[in-house]
Amino acid sequence: MITAKTLKLSIKSLRDFAKKCLPEETLLDLDQRDECPLDIVRHMCDPDQLGIQLLFIPEDCGGFGGGAFDVYCVCEEMARIDLGIATAVLATFLGSDPITVGATPEQKKYWLSRIAQEGLLFAYGATEPEAGSDLGALRTTADRVMQDGKVVGYKITGNKQWISNGGVADAYSVLANAPAGPCWFVVEKGAKGFHHDEPEDKHGIRLSNTAALSFDNVYVDADRLLGGVEGQGLIQAQLVFGYTRLMVAAFGLGAGWSAVDRAIPYSTKRIQAGAPLSEKQGYTHKLIVPHVARLEAARAYIEETAERIDAGEGSLNTEGAIAKYMATESGNGAAEAAIQAFGGYGYTREYMVEKIKRDVRITTIYEGTSEIMEMTISRDRWQLHLKTRGQHYHEQAKKFEALHLEHSNVGADVAALALHALAEVMEKARIARLTRYQHILLRLGELIAYAECAGSLSRRAALAAENKLNEKSNRRFDATALAALAQIFAREAALKVAEDGLRWIAGAGGVSSAEIATFETSLGLPAIHRAQVGLISDMDYIADVLYGRVAKAQRAA
Ligand SMILES: Cc1cc2nc3c(=O)[nH]c(=O)nc-3n(C[C@H](O)[C@H](O)[C@H](O)COP(=O)(O)OP(=O)(O)OC[C@H]3O[C@@H](n4cnc5c(N)ncnc54)[C@H](O)[C@@H]3O)c2cc1C
């Protein structure tokens, strides 16, 4: 267990370390030279130095036994520093996951203690040239080596692609097909027949080493088969997705905020047409405020999911997918807008926003692409829709209507409109059997993510008003600002669900031209349009908060 105080101290040490060892010039230089700063990564994982990996190692293996919430906080902070270095640390988190969920007690003790005490760097070897999103297509094999009728070891043969830490790790978790099905093995560097390629020349995260691996009859003892039973590999991989996708979600959040936090001060100094850009509404309300609302909606969802994982609610794969989808898409959007916010400077390599934009792009690809997230979300919630005879999201909406009676300013009523509209869209899709179109299924995934995140941000704003936020929760915004953000995002979500929903249902032939007006009413479109009233003044307020104008006015009063 990690206390809020310890977590705060760990984050402060990380920040101090970055300030000292990774100033912007160093990061830009390493990026330009396409170099992974291995000494820095090793320092971060050295238990006598930063020992960042101790956070997720259980206490009985020499770590601090941190939970999902702690890991999210640290991942966000690492991403704010550099997403490539964060990925190097993440690879050890990922590489040890098959151990955490699937290994025998002895294997767990052996490997996790070594990661804690020796700072072993791990890599996670799942992807192959022919098996990316569809891991079931993997071709790497693990043939049994028999002695006296007993399995004494395995010979691994195959190729892995785009493996983070691939060229620098001390040990590798490798997914391979044994006779009884896929399983995870640990292969140590230097094993005979094991090779890694030169690092990939990547678009972004150039401080992270990414390499292809090849295995040519690499022998491992039978005790390197994690869990000791063949065929459990894909199940073990599934078991940690909720948790690992939350980490990547935190990366999207941290990188997105890192870009916004550069655009804000820049715009206070850049004078155009006689005044700083920060005073131009057409600038702040396009390039800053909506991105902040989306990032904070993603944060609300991440925090709720992390709390639920820590409370033992299971692996929460769908929630992990929603968190990852919203945070990484929002992080990308924020970084893209930050380039625009810097104008021509943002387009040059001298400015960090250009690097952040290239870096954050990976978060919508690794640990499951955005399209795979849409599919995961949609399939799961579709089942809920069917099981509840279309009532799941109507029931959720009622909870937000009740919340609105207690907190009238947190956008709960508008989140409820989004959820009711979502239920109607899904029901129309059911009646017209539209999920036979894959595009409709995936678009539903997006709408579900927006509606659920709107609900989370409303709930978070209400908790803040009651002073009941998790003590580890991010406190950048007070209750009033969170309420304004929740209203901004709920309006966007409701409009998106209803209008995009209408578009895709009509587009796929789910309603005829004659039925459109009735469908619009059932979606609550008039109410959703009325809910947009007040949007600009909430955006003005958030701009004032971000630029310290609210605090200044309060001090003056
Ligand atoms: C820098 C970097 C680091 C990485 N690190 C690791 C690592 O450490 N360990 C590891 O195992 N892997 C790692 N990966 C691999 C990463 O997880 C995969 O790239 C990712 O899962 C996507 O697989 P793919 O590249 O084969 O794309 P594909 O699966 O071929 O997908 C290509 C496109 O098609 C879409 N698509 C795929 N399937 C469907 C479908 N059924 N329906 C509709 N659309 C679909 C995808 O969303 C994507 O847009 C890394 C990749 C990169 C680039």
Side-chain angles (χ1 to χ4, degrees):
M1 260 293 282
I2 292 180
T3 63
K5 199 171 157 208
T6 312
L7 179 65
K8 222 170 156 185
L9 280 175
S10 302
I11 289 177
K12 185 176 177 311
S13 329
L14 192 55
R15 219 170 266 166
D16 292 346
F17 169 76
K19 218 181 208 169
K20 197 167 130 223
C21 302
L22 291 166
E24 281 192 8
E25 316 79 77
T26 306
L27 293 171
L28 290 172
D29 183 48
L30 288 165
D31 174 74
Q32 191 89 41
R33 288 191 281 125
D34 199 9
E35 184 180 317
C36 167
L38 193 53
D39 51 338
I40 298 268
V41 176
R42 293 244 176 239
H43 184 100
M44 288 173 80
C45 298
D46 181 340
D48 297 325
Q49 305 291 334
L50 266 185
I52 207 79
Q53 82 287 12
L54 296 176
L55 185 81
F56 69 91
I57 306 274
E59 284 164 295
D60 60 358
C61 294
F64 298 149
F69 208 100
D70 305 310
V71 170
Y72 132 65
C73 293
V74 171
C75 283
E76 181 184 358
E77 193 57 38
M78 287 196 300
R80 282 179 155 276
I81 299 165
D82 179 84
L83 210 41
I85 291 177
T87 298
V89 177
L90 172 84
T92 295
F93 279 46
L94 290 182
S96 64
D97 273 334
I99 300 170
T100 309
V101 299
T104 62
E106 297 74 37
Q107 288 172 328
K108 238 181 243 184
K109 187 98 191 157
Y110 178 75
W111 289 109
L112 296 181
S113 301
R114 286 191 66 191
I115 294 173
Q117 287 154 17
E118 299 168 35
L120 279 192
L121 287 187
F122 254 75
Y124 177 82
T127 305
E128 300 189 358
E130 309 294 330
S133 299
D134 178 14
L135 271 186
L138 89 155
R139 291 189 180 168
T140 299
T141 53
D143 293 328
R144 291 175 187 158
V145 177
M146 309 293 293
Q147 221 172 55
D148 304 328
K150 258 182 68 187
V151 182
V152 292
Y154 290 87
K155 282 193 168 175
I156 300 174
T157 299
N159 296 292
K160 297 287 171 183
Q161 183 145 308
W162 300 314
I163 305 304
S164 304
N165 284 355
V168 299
D170 303 304
Y172 300 76
S173 296
V174 177
L175 188 64
N177 253 324
C183 19
W184 289 96
F185 294 90
V186 179
V187 176
E188 284 182 84
K189 78 169 172 200
K192 196 163 166 253
F194 166 66
H195 298 282
H196 61 77
D197 276 359
E198 288 299 303
E200 303 284 354
D201 181 5
K202 305 191 294 294
H203 173 64
I205 59 165
R206 289 162 71 87
L207 277 71
S208 157
N209 173 289
T210 314
L213 314 177
S214 70
F215 301 83
D216 180 9
N217 272 309
V218 175
Y219 176 80
V220 290
D221 284 332
D223 70 357
R224 298 299 161 96
L225 162 62
L226 293 174
V229 181
E230 292 177 9
Q232 303 298 306
L234 293 181
I235 300 165
Q236 289 161 353
Q238 283 286 336
L239 277 176
V240 291
F241 271 151
Y243 188 69
T244 56
R245 287 177 176 162
L246 218 51
M247 293 183 204
V248 181
F251 281 4
L253 186 64
W257 260 114
S258 175
V260 174
D261 276 336
R262 285 175 165 83
I264 291 174
Y266 174 80
S267 59
T268 61
K269 297 200 183 77
R270 178 75 175 165
I271 313 289
Q272 289 295 289
L277 292 171
S278 55
E279 290 173 16
K280 318 249 178 217
Q281 211 189 35
Y283 178 96
T284 56
H285 289 26
K286 179 182 176 193
L287 301 176
I288 309 282
V289 175
H291 300 285
V292 167
R294 287 178 207 129
L295 286 168
E296 287 308 297
R299 180 193 302 289
Y301 206 88
I302 292 174
E303 292 201 351
E304 283 191 345
T305 306
E307 281 173 350
R308 291 177 59 194
I309 290 178
D310 287 342
E313 279 194 44
S315 60
L316 301 183
N317 283 359
T318 307
E319 286 72 13
I322 292 176
K324 179 182 190 284
Y325 181 68
M326 187 55 71
T328 61
E329 290 290 335
S330 304
N332 263 282
E336 176 75 25
I339 290 194
Q340 191 73 9
F342 272 76
Y345 295 110
Y347 198 63
T348 63
R349 297 221 166 191
E350 206 180 314
Y351 283 78
M352 278 291 280
V353 288
E354 188 274 339
K355 172 178 171 299
I356 295 169
K357 175 67 195 90
R358 281 184 288 110
D359 287 350
V360 70
R361 195 68 187 78
I362 189 60
T363 61
T364 64
I365 297 174
Y366 65 16
E367 268 307 279
T369 65
S370 282
E371 294 68 39
I372 298 299
M373 295 304 97
E374 288 169 350
M375 201 185 311
T376 305
I377 297 163
S378 194
R379 278 186 176 155
D380 179 74
R381 296 308 197 238
W382 185 250
Q383 290 308 315
L384 272 181
H385 180 80
L386 298 183
K387 243 191 251 168
T388 58
R389 296 176 183 274
Q391 289 310 300
H392 174 69
Y393 282 117
H394 284 310
E395 292 302 328
Q396 296 294 313
K398 284 180 198 154
K399 291 185 189 162
F400 286 100
E401 283 158 358
L403 181 65
H404 179 67
L405 296 179
E406 287 168 40
H407 295 275
S408 60
N409 66 341
V410 297
D413 52 340
V414 189
L417 291 174
L419 291 157
H420 278 308
L422 180 60
E424 293 296 325
V425 170
M426 291 176 82
E427 187 55 9
K428 257 304 179 249
R430 184 191 69 78
I431 293 166
R433 296 175 39 251
L434 299 185
T435 52
R436 68 183 186 276
Y437 297 112
Q438 198 207 24
H439 185 56
I440 301 293
L441 186 72
L442 268 60
R443 299 298 15 100
L444 284 178
E446 180 187 22
L447 303 186
I448 291 166
Y450 267 80
E452 291 202 17
C453 287
S456 281
L457 188 51
S458 287
R459 263 196 303 257
R460 186 159 188 264
L463 281 177
E466 293 172 12
N467 224 350
K468 285 189 187 157
L469 278 182
N470 187 320
E471 58 176 339
K472 294 175 182 173
S473 181
N474 182 287
R475 303 292 162 119
R476 180 169 187 142
F477 296 104
D478 66 11
T480 315
L482 274 179
L485 284 167
Q487 298 208 57
I488 294 169
F489 186 78
R491 289 184 184 106
E492 179 179 6
L495 200 62
K496 185 172 186 65
V497 171
E499 296 207 324
D500 284 9
L502 175 70
R503 179 179 184 215
W504 296 122
I505 296 292
V511 283
S512 64
S513 307
E515 292 165 331
I516 294 272
T518 317
F519 187 43
E520 279 173 350
T521 312
S522 76
L523 288 171
L525 260 170
I528 289 171
H529 289 154
R530 280 195 301 278
Q532 306 303 317
V533 173
L535 174 60
I536 290 286
S537 72
D538 281 333
M539 294 178 87
D540 287 344
Y541 181 71
I542 292 301
D544 288 345
V545 169
L546 290 167
Y547 285 99
R549 298 188 286 246
V550 170
K552 203 169 159 193
Q554 279 165 351
R555 279 197 300 275

